Amino acid sequence: VFTAPEDNSDTTIAVTTGYGSNITVDNCQISGYTISAYNNPGQSDISFTNNEISDCTSGIAFVGIDGITVTGNTFTNASGVRIEPSWDTGATKCENVTISQNSFNSIPEDGYAVRAVNSSGVPGYDGAVDASNNYFGENATPETIAAMLKGNVKIDTYYTDAGMTTTENIGGTLVATADQLKNAIANAKDRDTIVLANDIPDAKGISVPSGKNFTIDFAGHTYTLTGPGAGSSGTETNGFQFLTG
């Protein structure tokens, strides 16, 4: 049991891993810390399973880790998981990430269930982090789930009940804002699907680089271009500008 003291001004991290591999943190209770756990670069095969985490502002951090498993955990008024690049010049990204069967019951203000970028917005994973088959709280909808995600995170299906017996399909990377859509397009891999979680009433034009192959599923929502559009100088009139060559 890791419980921060009532005055936790000097108590920031419950669990820190340094340099190793095949590390498992299982069946722990972590409460009241600023950061629930921090896993430094240069490690591999780290698992957090069946833990109860509450009242933690910042989630379990994996920084340039190869082999990540986060399953069976419960998060209450706590941020969930953050996937970040290493600090070195090459900014090594995380690889082989599994995040499933977790209950993200509630998150703190400005918190997240899954964050796939660091604090500067640099992606911590090549492509979309898969956060399918998790529970995102009572009466969750694609719109409320999208508000719990930061960076390029995809969800094919999610559980609609706390017992994790019934699933709902989404089928791609959820976006709720114009900026999220722009970032999802920039980071899309071949044949990715991007799904709108709600209407976007204030869209700006987006230039799509040559060679991109992806699908945008508007899911019945309205996408309203308010400008400026995309295009060459003086001709910024396109909602989407598809570049070639």
Side-chain angles (χ1 to χ4, degrees):
V1 178
F2 299 85
T3 303
E6 188 172 339
D7 178 11
N8 68 344
S9 57
D10 296 322
T11 310
T12 57
I13 306 175
V15 178
T16 301
T17 62
Y19 302 94
S21 61
N22 297 312
I23 298 170
T24 298
V25 178
D26 179 69
N27 200 28
C28 295
Q29 296 178 20
I30 300 172
S31 179
Y33 287 82
T34 303
I35 303 171
S36 53
Y38 196 92
N39 302 285
N40 284 281
Q43 304 181 86
S44 61
D45 299 319
I46 299 179
S47 300
F48 280 72
T49 57
N50 306 308
N51 301 291
E52 295 182 11
I53 300 173
S54 61
D55 301 321
C56 293
T57 305
S58 188
I60 304 170
F62 296 94
V63 185
I65 305 294
D66 182 4
I68 296 167
T69 300
V70 182
T71 59
N73 303 284
T74 300
F75 299 86
T76 304
N77 191 37
S79 288
V81 184
R82 51 188 172 120
I83 306 297
E84 301 185 0
S86 64
W87 322 308
D88 56 33
T89 303
T92 302
K93 295 180 180 179
C94 295
E95 298 181 12
N96 301 306
V97 178
T98 299
I99 303 172
S100 66
Q101 308 297 316
N102 301 287
S103 293
F104 300 103
N105 291 328
S106 58
I107 61 174
E109 185 177 0
D110 297 324
Y112 48 84
V114 180
R115 192 180 87 180
V117 293
N118 65 13
S119 57
S120 298
V122 180
Y125 185 81
D126 189 17
V129 172
D130 192 345
S132 301
N133 299 319
N134 291 286
Y135 174 67
F136 293 93
E138 188 176 4
N139 299 321
T141 66
E143 185 172 5
T144 62
I145 294 172
M148 300 172 73
L149 308 176
K150 296 185 178 183
N152 199 9
V153 181
K154 72 174 182 178
I155 296 177
D156 290 324
T157 58
Y158 66 95
Y159 288 107
T160 58
D161 62 311
M164 298 188 186
T165 59
T166 306
T167 59
E168 187 75 25
N169 182 67
I170 290 178
T173 300
L174 270 176
V175 297
T177 68
D179 284 342
Q180 287 179 347
L181 177 60
K182 182 178 179 180
N183 290 335
I185 290 174
N187 290 293
K189 297 300 179 182
D190 191 52
R191 299 182 183 276
D192 275 358
T193 297
I194 300 167
V195 183
L196 264 64
N198 47 251
D199 293 346
I200 296 181
D202 55 353
K204 298 176 177 60
I206 298 174
S207 293
V208 181
S210 174
K212 286 283 187 180
N213 179 16
F214 62 89
T215 299
I216 300 177
D217 181 357
F218 289 89
H221 296 296
T222 300
Y223 181 84
T224 304
L225 180 68
T226 58
S232 303
S233 179
T235 62
E236 298 92 342
T237 57
N238 300 291
F240 293 92
Q241 180 190 34
F242 296 95
L243 302 174
T244 60

